[in-house]
Amino acid sequence: MKGNHDKRSRVLRPGPWATVTLTGLAVFGATAAMPTTLQHASTETVAAVQTVPQQRAAPRQAAPQDQVRAQAEVLKEFKPQAKAKPSAKTEPRKQAAEPKSDARSKVIARARTWHPHTGRRVPYSQTSTHDGYRTDCSGYVSMALGLPKPGTNTVGLTSSRYTERVEMSELKKGDLVMDALGSNTTRHVVIFEKWADKAHSSYWAYEQRGRYGTDHRTLDYGLSSDDEYKAYRPTSLK
């Protein structure tokens, strides 16, 4: 009699390949069950890792003629504007040195202030003064030259401090013609203004002459070869 222990229930055990198949199906089911957002994130992450950035191509160098042309265009565009020339109103004036001709004219102008050859002329005197200057010939010349008051005498005017000798033919406006020899009654000095004629036979001069006063007349002192009058140029007019 066959016992019941011979009729054991048979349980089916999966083989090795069946196990692998079932495991794969389980994983596929789990992946399919994942949210769509996570699946996309995983896909982008993998793509980012696998993507190799492409190197940028080196910029093409311009040809030499293109570089020159480009530089010329830049210089033309940014060319500095020319400085505007200052107007005559804003431009500072430069003070020029006084020309000698103006200094000579001032000597003559001062000589005229004593009103030569008029009724208002200053009378001659070796002791009296006018505006601080002696009213003799050397005092008058000292005033016209702007020398210190009361003025030096005729001999003093011949010193190198005040004048230097020149030729009579070199006389110019404001120069002196002077006789410094003899006594105070014979010495005399006059102020040359201009030649009276083309032949230079006489000249116009200003003087303070005895027994008359301030005068303006033509003279010929110093023009003869044996004359004691000589020509002198004031150092202030050199």
Side-chain angles (χ1 to χ4, degrees), residues 30 66 85 100 108 122 162 166:
D66 294 338
K85 185 178 181 181
K100 295 300 181 184
I108 301 302
V122 177
Y162 298 119
V166 294

Side-chain angles (χ1 to χ4, degrees), residues 44 56 63 66 75 79 86 98-99 137 151 155 163 167 170 173 181 195 209 214 218 225:
E44 291 176 357
R56 296 182 179 179
D66 294 338
L75 292 177
K79 183 178 180 181
E98 182 181 64
C137 63
V155 176
T163 62
E167 297 296 329
E170 298 174 345
K173 180 172 59 178
L181 302 177
W195 293 105
R209 64 185 177 93
T214 316
T218 57
S225 58

Side-chain angles (χ1 to χ4, degrees), residues 103-130:
R104 292 180 179 277
S105 296
K106 288 183 177 180
V107 172
I108 301 302
R110 284 192 290 262
R112 290 172 178 169
T113 61
W114 282 20
H115 309 289
H117 206 68
T118 69
R120 299 172 57 193
R121 65 186 181 274
V122 177
Y124 179 92
S125 174
Q126 292 184 353
T127 58
S128 299
T129 61
H130 180 74

Side-chain angles (χ1 to χ4, degrees), residues 208-236:
Q208 185 74 359
R209 64 185 177 93
R211 297 186 300 275
Y212 181 79
T214 316
D215 205 358
H216 179 224
R217 59 177 182 161
T218 57
L219 300 172
D220 59 1
Y221 299 161
L223 295 181
S224 62
S225 58
D226 57 347
D227 204 318
E228 293 181 352
Y229 281 88
K230 307 298 179 184
Y232 292 83
R233 178 155 297 158
T235 55
S236 58

Side-chain angles (χ1 to χ4, degrees), residues 57-99:
R60 183 180 65 85
Q61 294 184 353
Q65 58 270 23
D66 294 338
Q67 295 179 357
V68 173
R69 187 180 301 105
Q71 293 177 358
E73 291 296 330
V74 172
L75 292 177
K76 181 178 179 181
E77 181 177 357
F78 296 98
K79 183 178 180 181
Q81 298 180 354
K83 295 183 179 179
K85 185 178 181 181
S87 62
K89 295 182 179 180
T90 60
E91 185 176 6
R93 296 182 179 179
K94 295 182 180 179
Q95 186 175 3
E98 182 181 64

Side-chain angles (χ1 to χ4, degrees), residues 10 16 20 29 31 44 55 64 80 92-93 101 104 113 152 163 166 168 174 176 186 191 196 198 219 236:
R10 297 180 178 179
V20 173
T31 303
E44 291 176 357
Q55 295 183 352
R93 296 182 179 179
S101 59
R104 292 180 179 277
T113 61
T152 185
T163 62
V166 294
M168 291 291 294
L176 309 179
T186 60
I191 303 171
K198 294 181 180 180
L219 300 172
S236 58

